[in-house]
Amino acid sequence: EEEEEEWHQLYPGHIPTSPLQKALLAAGSAVMALYDPYRHDMVAVLGETTGCLALPNLRDKMKNHPEGYHILQERPRIRLSTLDMARLQGLPGGSLGREYVRFLEDNKVSPDTRMPPKFVDDEELAYVIQRYREVHDLMHTLLGMPTNMLGEVVVKWFEAVQTGLPMCVLGAAFGPVRLSTRKLQVLATELVPWAIRSGLNASCVLNVYYEQRWEQPVESLREELGIFPPP
């Protein structure tokens, strides 16, 4: 009884699950996420139940990098409560902070819609997947991609290469099924090759303390990371 109680207290909201339950959740969420890629809750569950190999790998990358290590120590959060929106809006055009706010406004999205982790059985790894989710909109900003299906698929290819998370791989592979032929053509010939090349070439995007770089021009951050200019 006591042991079980302790198990629940890994972090707020944690739900312990057996490997079989994880497999069932993964299968169910995969089907739902493919059926409706905008079901962020299902995409989130899929990420947590299938990330058992990729997440420790990402954590180690962060631990072995000065900026990444700093993030793991301080555990910053990207939410409306932690963002000084007025300050970001006042930054010059082209800066990370200004372009990020522009992205949020243009696409009518909020950083607060990211699901908190529930099924990751390690408190530190739960933070890693939380951080990955919270910088997702910054990936859109860095890659210059909107939140439409085309933009999401391109970002997913980049993230799949960067993180190795099966959920990204799945989203990258099956996301395009709903696109028109013309969009598929652009995707296959230009956007996906660029996203894969950039993902392979870029240093780990979780090792950037974005909150300390709002003033940095997006282009200089792209260059620093090794992301090729968008086609």
Side-chain angles (χ1 to χ4, degrees), residues 144-172:
M145 287 292 141
T147 56
N148 60 20
M149 206 60 207
L150 190 70
E152 283 298 345
V153 169
V154 173
V155 173
K156 274 285 172 281
W157 273 102
F158 176 80
E159 291 180 339
V161 173
Q162 270 272 320
T163 65
L165 282 166
M167 136 194 108
C168 298
V169 178
L170 207 70

PDB file of all heavy atoms in Angstrom, residues 144-172:
ATOM      1  N   GLY A 144      10.353  28.841 -39.532  1.00  0.00           N
ATOM      2  CA  GLY A 144       9.497  29.689 -40.350  1.00  0.00           C
ATOM      3  C   GLY A 144       8.293  28.951 -40.914  1.00  0.00           C
ATOM      4  O   GLY A 144       7.882  29.186 -42.043  1.00  0.00           O
ATOM      5  N   MET A 145       7.725  28.040 -40.113  1.00  0.00           N
ATOM      6  CA  MET A 145       6.608  27.220 -40.592  1.00  0.00           C
ATOM      7  C   MET A 145       5.306  27.547 -39.859  1.00  0.00           C
ATOM      8  O   MET A 145       5.296  27.619 -38.638  1.00  0.00           O
ATOM      9  CB  MET A 145       6.920  25.728 -40.366  1.00  0.00           C
ATOM     10  CG  MET A 145       7.956  25.168 -41.308  1.00  0.00           C
ATOM     11  SD  MET A 145       7.322  25.109 -42.995  1.00  0.00           S
ATOM     12  CE  MET A 145       8.773  25.596 -43.925  1.00  0.00           C
ATOM     13  N   PRO A 146       4.189  27.698 -40.589  1.00  0.00           N
ATOM     14  CA  PRO A 146       2.896  27.956 -39.945  1.00  0.00           C
ATOM     15  C   PRO A 146       2.361  26.686 -39.270  1.00  0.00           C
ATOM     16  O   PRO A 146       2.982  25.630 -39.366  1.00  0.00           O
ATOM     17  CB  PRO A 146       1.992  28.348 -41.121  1.00  0.00           C
ATOM     18  CG  PRO A 146       2.598  27.657 -42.300  1.00  0.00           C
ATOM     19  CD  PRO A 146       4.077  27.621 -42.051  1.00  0.00           C
ATOM     20  N   THR A 147       1.209  26.790 -38.610  1.00  0.00           N
ATOM     21  CA  THR A 147       0.670  25.610 -37.912  1.00  0.00           C
ATOM     22  C   THR A 147      -0.299  24.822 -38.782  1.00  0.00           C
ATOM     23  O   THR A 147      -1.023  23.981 -38.282  1.00  0.00           O
ATOM     24  CB  THR A 147      -0.091  26.012 -36.629  1.00  0.00           C
ATOM     25  OG1 THR A 147      -1.107  26.944 -36.997  1.00  0.00           O
ATOM     26  CG2 THR A 147       0.816  26.627 -35.606  1.00  0.00           C
ATOM     27  N   ASN A 148      -0.361  25.107 -40.085  1.00  0.00           N
ATOM     28  CA  ASN A 148      -1.232  24.288 -40.933  1.00  0.00           C
ATOM     29  C   ASN A 148      -0.611  22.902 -41.086  1.00  0.00           C
ATOM     30  O   ASN A 148       0.494  22.650 -40.604  1.00  0.00           O
ATOM     31  CB  ASN A 148      -1.470  24.952 -42.299  1.00  0.00           C
ATOM     32  CG  ASN A 148      -0.169  25.154 -43.058  1.00  0.00           C
ATOM     33  OD1 ASN A 148       0.849  24.520 -42.790  1.00  0.00           O
ATOM     34  ND2 ASN A 148      -0.200  26.054 -44.014  1.00  0.00           N
ATOM     35  N   MET A 149      -1.316  22.019 -41.756  1.00  0.00           N
ATOM     36  CA  MET A 149      -0.868  20.626 -41.857  1.00  0.00           C
ATOM     37  C   MET A 149       0.530  20.534 -42.484  1.00  0.00           C
ATOM     38  O   MET A 149       1.381  19.785 -42.023  1.00  0.00           O
ATOM     39  CB  MET A 149      -1.883  19.862 -42.720  1.00  0.00           C
ATOM     40  CG  MET A 149      -1.929  18.405 -42.442  1.00  0.00           C
ATOM     41  SD  MET A 149      -2.389  18.095 -40.739  1.00  0.00           S
ATOM     42  CE  MET A 149      -1.620  16.562 -40.485  1.00  0.00           C
ATOM     43  N   LEU A 150       0.751  21.314 -43.521  1.00  0.00           N
ATOM     44  CA  LEU A 150       2.053  21.294 -44.204  1.00  0.00           C
ATOM     45  C   LEU A 150       3.160  21.698 -43.228  1.00  0.00           C
ATOM     46  O   LEU A 150       4.173  21.010 -43.097  1.00  0.00           O
ATOM     47  CB  LEU A 150       2.008  22.257 -45.401  1.00  0.00           C
ATOM     48  CG  LEU A 150       3.196  22.192 -46.356  1.00  0.00           C
ATOM     49  CD1 LEU A 150       3.186  20.891 -47.139  1.00  0.00           C
ATOM     50  CD2 LEU A 150       3.161  23.366 -47.334  1.00  0.00           C
ATOM     51  N   GLY A 151       2.928  22.819 -42.534  1.00  0.00           N
ATOM     52  CA  GLY A 151       3.917  23.312 -41.576  1.00  0.00           C
ATOM     53  C   GLY A 151       4.190  22.316 -40.470  1.00  0.00           C
ATOM     54  O   GLY A 151       5.335  22.076 -40.086  1.00  0.00           O
ATOM     55  N   GLU A 152       3.116  21.695 -39.948  1.00  0.00           N
ATOM     56  CA  GLU A 152       3.278  20.716 -38.863  1.00  0.00           C
ATOM     57  C   GLU A 152       4.113  19.519 -39.327  1.00  0.00           C
ATOM     58  O   GLU A 152       4.958  19.017 -38.591  1.00  0.00           O
ATOM     59  CB  GLU A 152       1.919  20.201 -38.368  1.00  0.00           C
ATOM     60  CG  GLU A 152       1.160  21.153 -37.468  1.00  0.00           C
ATOM     61  CD  GLU A 152       1.867  21.502 -36.157  1.00  0.00           C
ATOM     62  OE1 GLU A 152       2.826  20.820 -35.763  1.00  0.00           O
ATOM     63  OE2 GLU A 152       1.451  22.493 -35.537  1.00  0.00           O
ATOM     64  N   VAL A 153       3.842  19.050 -40.548  1.00  0.00           N
ATOM     65  CA  VAL A 153       4.567  17.875 -41.049  1.00  0.00           C
ATOM     66  C   VAL A 153       6.057  18.192 -41.184  1.00  0.00           C
ATOM     67  O   VAL A 153       6.924  17.403 -40.799  1.00  0.00           O
ATOM     68  CB  VAL A 153       3.973  17.400 -42.400  1.00  0.00           C
ATOM     69  CG1 VAL A 153       4.887  16.365 -43.062  1.00  0.00           C
ATOM     70  CG2 VAL A 153       2.584  16.800 -42.183  1.00  0.00           C
ATOM     71  N   VAL A 154       6.362  19.400 -41.689  1.00  0.00           N
ATOM     72  CA  VAL A 154       7.763  19.794 -41.853  1.00  0.00           C
ATOM     73  C   VAL A 154       8.459  19.856 -40.492  1.00  0.00           C
ATOM     74  O   VAL A 154       9.558  19.321 -40.309  1.00  0.00           O
ATOM     75  CB  VAL A 154       7.857  21.158 -42.578  1.00  0.00           C
ATOM     76  CG1 VAL A 154       9.298  21.651 -42.609  1.00  0.00           C
ATOM     77  CG2 VAL A 154       7.309  21.039 -43.998  1.00  0.00           C
ATOM     78  N   VAL A 155       7.788  20.491 -39.515  1.00  0.00           N
ATOM     79  CA  VAL A 155       8.370  20.594 -38.169  1.00  0.00           C
ATOM     80  C   VAL A 155       8.540  19.193 -37.564  1.00  0.00           C
ATOM     81  O   VAL A 155       9.552  18.897 -36.923  1.00  0.00           O
ATOM     82  CB  VAL A 155       7.512  21.505 -37.255  1.00  0.00           C
ATOM     83  CG1 VAL A 155       8.012  21.468 -35.813  1.00  0.00           C
ATOM     84  CG2 VAL A 155       7.534  22.938 -37.773  1.00  0.00           C
ATOM     85  N   LYS A 156       7.550  18.308 -37.805  1.00  0.00           N
ATOM     86  CA  LYS A 156       7.647  16.939 -37.275  1.00  0.00           C
ATOM     87  C   LYS A 156       8.843  16.185 -37.860  1.00  0.00           C
ATOM     88  O   LYS A 156       9.503  15.427 -37.162  1.00  0.00           O
ATOM     89  CB  LYS A 156       6.366  16.150 -37.566  1.00  0.00           C
ATOM     90  CG  LYS A 156       5.278  16.349 -36.526  1.00  0.00           C
ATOM     91  CD  LYS A 156       5.573  15.596 -35.242  1.00  0.00           C
ATOM     92  CE  LYS A 156       4.599  15.934 -34.146  1.00  0.00           C
ATOM     93  NZ  LYS A 156       4.888  17.217 -33.469  1.00  0.00           N
ATOM     94  N   TRP A 157       9.112  16.364 -39.149  1.00  0.00           N
ATOM     95  CA  TRP A 157      10.297  15.715 -39.748  1.00  0.00           C
ATOM     96  C   TRP A 157      11.563  16.212 -39.074  1.00  0.00           C
ATOM     97  O   TRP A 157      12.455  15.433 -38.731  1.00  0.00           O
ATOM     98  CB  TRP A 157      10.370  15.977 -41.253  1.00  0.00           C
ATOM     99  CG  TRP A 157       9.589  14.989 -42.054  1.00  0.00           C
ATOM    100  CD1 TRP A 157       8.361  15.173 -42.625  1.00  0.00           C
ATOM    101  CD2 TRP A 157       9.972  13.639 -42.379  1.00  0.00           C
ATOM    102  NE1 TRP A 157       7.955  14.028 -43.269  1.00  0.00           N
ATOM    103  CE2 TRP A 157       8.920  13.074 -43.146  1.00  0.00           C
ATOM    104  CE3 TRP A 157      11.101  12.853 -42.097  1.00  0.00           C
ATOM    105  CZ2 TRP A 157       8.969  11.762 -43.628  1.00  0.00           C
ATOM    106  CZ3 TRP A 157      11.141  11.550 -42.580  1.00  0.00           C
ATOM    107  CH2 TRP A 157      10.086  11.013 -43.327  1.00  0.00           C
ATOM    108  N   PHE A 158      11.633  17.519 -38.878  1.00  0.00           N
ATOM    109  CA  PHE A 158      12.798  18.109 -38.215  1.00  0.00           C
ATOM    110  C   PHE A 158      12.938  17.542 -36.804  1.00  0.00           C
ATOM    111  O   PHE A 158      14.013  17.108 -36.387  1.00  0.00           O
ATOM    112  CB  PHE A 158      12.647  19.638 -38.185  1.00  0.00           C
ATOM    113  CG  PHE A 158      13.758  20.337 -37.445  1.00  0.00           C
ATOM    114  CD1 PHE A 158      14.982  20.563 -38.062  1.00  0.00           C
ATOM    115  CD2 PHE A 158      13.585  20.773 -36.136  1.00  0.00           C
ATOM    116  CE1 PHE A 158      16.017  21.209 -37.383  1.00  0.00           C
ATOM    117  CE2 PHE A 158      14.604  21.415 -35.447  1.00  0.00           C
ATOM    118  CZ  PHE A 158      15.826  21.636 -36.079  1.00  0.00           C
ATOM    119  N   GLU A 159      11.812  17.510 -36.070  1.00  0.00           N
ATOM    120  CA  GLU A 159      11.848  17.015 -34.684  1.00  0.00           C
ATOM    121  C   GLU A 159      12.130  15.519 -34.627  1.00  0.00           C
ATOM    122  O   GLU A 159      12.786  15.040 -33.697  1.00  0.00           O
ATOM    123  CB  GLU A 159      10.519  17.317 -33.983  1.00  0.00           C
ATOM    124  CG  GLU A 159      10.295  18.794 -33.738  1.00  0.00           C
ATOM    125  CD  GLU A 159       8.977  19.089 -33.035  1.00  0.00           C
ATOM    126  OE1 GLU A 159       8.055  18.253 -33.083  1.00  0.00           O
ATOM    127  OE2 GLU A 159       8.871  20.167 -32.442  1.00  0.00           O
ATOM    128  N   ALA A 160      11.630  14.775 -35.606  1.00  0.00           N
ATOM    129  CA  ALA A 160      11.865  13.325 -35.628  1.00  0.00           C
ATOM    130  C   ALA A 160      13.369  13.045 -35.716  1.00  0.00           C
ATOM    131  O   ALA A 160      13.911  12.218 -34.983  1.00  0.00           O
ATOM    132  CB  ALA A 160      11.141  12.689 -36.808  1.00  0.00           C
ATOM    133  N   VAL A 161      14.038  13.775 -36.608  1.00  0.00           N
ATOM    134  CA  VAL A 161      15.480  13.589 -36.782  1.00  0.00           C
ATOM    135  C   VAL A 161      16.220  14.062 -35.534  1.00  0.00           C
ATOM    136  O   VAL A 161      17.175  13.441 -35.069  1.00  0.00           O
ATOM    137  CB  VAL A 161      15.969  14.377 -38.024  1.00  0.00           C
ATOM    138  CG1 VAL A 161      17.480  14.340 -38.134  1.00  0.00           C
ATOM    139  CG2 VAL A 161      15.324  13.814 -39.288  1.00  0.00           C
ATOM    140  N   GLN A 162      15.751  15.167 -34.955  1.00  0.00           N
ATOM    141  CA  GLN A 162      16.414  15.757 -33.797  1.00  0.00           C
ATOM    142  C   GLN A 162      16.245  14.934 -32.525  1.00  0.00           C
ATOM    143  O   GLN A 162      17.182  14.772 -31.755  1.00  0.00           O
ATOM    144  CB  GLN A 162      15.820  17.154 -33.543  1.00  0.00           C
ATOM    145  CG  GLN A 162      16.532  18.246 -34.279  1.00  0.00           C
ATOM    146  CD  GLN A 162      17.716  18.797 -33.488  1.00  0.00           C
ATOM    147  OE1 GLN A 162      17.660  18.964 -32.273  1.00  0.00           O
ATOM    148  NE2 GLN A 162      18.800  19.061 -34.182  1.00  0.00           N
ATOM    149  N   THR A 163      15.027  14.420 -32.297  1.00  0.00           N
ATOM    150  CA  THR A 163      14.738  13.811 -30.992  1.00  0.00           C
ATOM    151  C   THR A 163      14.688  12.289 -31.027  1.00  0.00           C
ATOM    152  O   THR A 163      14.866  11.645 -30.006  1.00  0.00           O
ATOM    153  CB  THR A 163      13.359  14.274 -30.466  1.00  0.00           C
ATOM    154  OG1 THR A 163      12.337  13.783 -31.356  1.00  0.00           O
ATOM    155  CG2 THR A 163      13.267  15.791 -30.387  1.00  0.00           C
ATOM    156  N   GLY A 164      14.393  11.723 -32.204  1.00  0.00           N
ATOM    157  CA  GLY A 164      14.221  10.277 -32.281  1.00  0.00           C
ATOM    158  C   GLY A 164      12.947   9.803 -31.599  1.00  0.00           C
ATOM    159  O   GLY A 164      12.744   8.609 -31.396  1.00  0.00           O
ATOM    160  N   LEU A 165      12.049  10.714 -31.227  1.00  0.00           N
ATOM    161  CA  LEU A 165      10.798  10.299 -30.576  1.00  0.00           C
ATOM    162  C   LEU A 165       9.901   9.614 -31.604  1.00  0.00           C
ATOM    163  O   LEU A 165       9.612  10.189 -32.653  1.00  0.00           O
ATOM    164  CB  LEU A 165      10.056  11.508 -29.989  1.00  0.00           C
ATOM    165  CG  LEU A 165      10.588  12.059 -28.657  1.00  0.00           C
ATOM    166  CD1 LEU A 165      10.003  13.436 -28.379  1.00  0.00           C
ATOM    167  CD2 LEU A 165      10.271  11.111 -27.503  1.00  0.00           C
ATOM    168  N   PRO A 166       9.464   8.381 -31.316  1.00  0.00           N
ATOM    169  CA  PRO A 166       8.635   7.647 -32.284  1.00  0.00           C
ATOM    170  C   PRO A 166       7.399   8.424 -32.723  1.00  0.00           C
ATOM    171  O   PRO A 166       6.975   8.350 -33.861  1.00  0.00           O
ATOM    172  CB  PRO A 166       8.229   6.384 -31.509  1.00  0.00           C
ATOM    173  CG  PRO A 166       9.309   6.198 -30.505  1.00  0.00           C
ATOM    174  CD  PRO A 166       9.758   7.578 -30.124  1.00  0.00           C
ATOM    175  N   MET A 167       6.854   9.243 -31.776  1.00  0.00           N
ATOM    176  CA  MET A 167       5.654   9.999 -32.126  1.00  0.00           C
ATOM    177  C   MET A 167       5.930  10.986 -33.255  1.00  0.00           C
ATOM    178  O   MET A 167       5.106  11.194 -34.138  1.00  0.00           O
ATOM    179  CB  MET A 167       5.183  10.704 -30.878  1.00  0.00           C
ATOM    180  CG  MET A 167       4.792  12.114 -31.093  1.00  0.00           C
ATOM    181  SD  MET A 167       4.630  12.991 -29.580  1.00  0.00           S
ATOM    182  CE  MET A 167       6.062  14.002 -29.690  1.00  0.00           C
ATOM    183  N   CYS A 168       7.124  11.596 -33.248  1.00  0.00           N
ATOM    184  CA  CYS A 168       7.481  12.548 -34.316  1.00  0.00           C
ATOM    185  C   CYS A 168       7.650  11.793 -35.625  1.00  0.00           C
ATOM    186  O   CYS A 168       7.236  12.265 -36.684  1.00  0.00           O
ATOM    187  CB  CYS A 168       8.785  13.261 -33.990  1.00  0.00           C
ATOM    188  SG  CYS A 168       8.705  14.239 -32.497  1.00  0.00           S
ATOM    189  N   VAL A 169       8.282  10.631 -35.530  1.00  0.00           N
ATOM    190  CA  VAL A 169       8.510   9.815 -36.729  1.00  0.00           C
ATOM    191  C   VAL A 169       7.161   9.440 -37.349  1.00  0.00           C
ATOM    192  O   VAL A 169       6.951   9.558 -38.567  1.00  0.00           O
ATOM    193  CB  VAL A 169       9.313   8.536 -36.372  1.00  0.00           C
ATOM    194  CG1 VAL A 169       9.502   7.663 -37.594  1.00  0.00           C
ATOM    195  CG2 VAL A 169      10.664   8.921 -35.762  1.00  0.00           C
ATOM    196  N   LEU A 170       6.233   9.041 -36.484  1.00  0.00           N
ATOM    197  CA  LEU A 170       4.909   8.653 -36.957  1.00  0.00           C
ATOM    198  C   LEU A 170       4.173   9.834 -37.584  1.00  0.00           C
ATOM    199  O   LEU A 170       3.589   9.725 -38.658  1.00  0.00           O
ATOM    200  CB  LEU A 170       4.103   8.115 -35.764  1.00  0.00           C
ATOM    201  CG  LEU A 170       3.019   7.107 -36.091  1.00  0.00           C
ATOM    202  CD1 LEU A 170       3.646   5.796 -36.530  1.00  0.00           C
ATOM    203  CD2 LEU A 170       2.123   6.872 -34.890  1.00  0.00           C
ATOM    204  N   GLY A 171       4.233  10.979 -36.897  1.00  0.00           N
ATOM    205  CA  GLY A 171       3.580  12.181 -37.409  1.00  0.00           C
ATOM    206  C   GLY A 171       4.176  12.605 -38.737  1.00  0.00           C
ATOM    207  O   GLY A 171       3.469  13.033 -39.658  1.00  0.00           O
ATOM    208  N   ALA A 172       5.506  12.466 -38.845  1.00  0.00           N
ATOM    209  CA  ALA A 172       6.189  12.853 -40.076  1.00  0.00           C
ATOM    210  C   ALA A 172       5.798  11.928 -41.227  1.00  0.00           C
ATOM    211  O   ALA A 172       5.604  12.360 -42.361  1.00  0.00           O
ATOM    212  CB  ALA A 172       7.700  12.811 -39.851  1.00  0.00           C
TER     213      ALA A 172
END
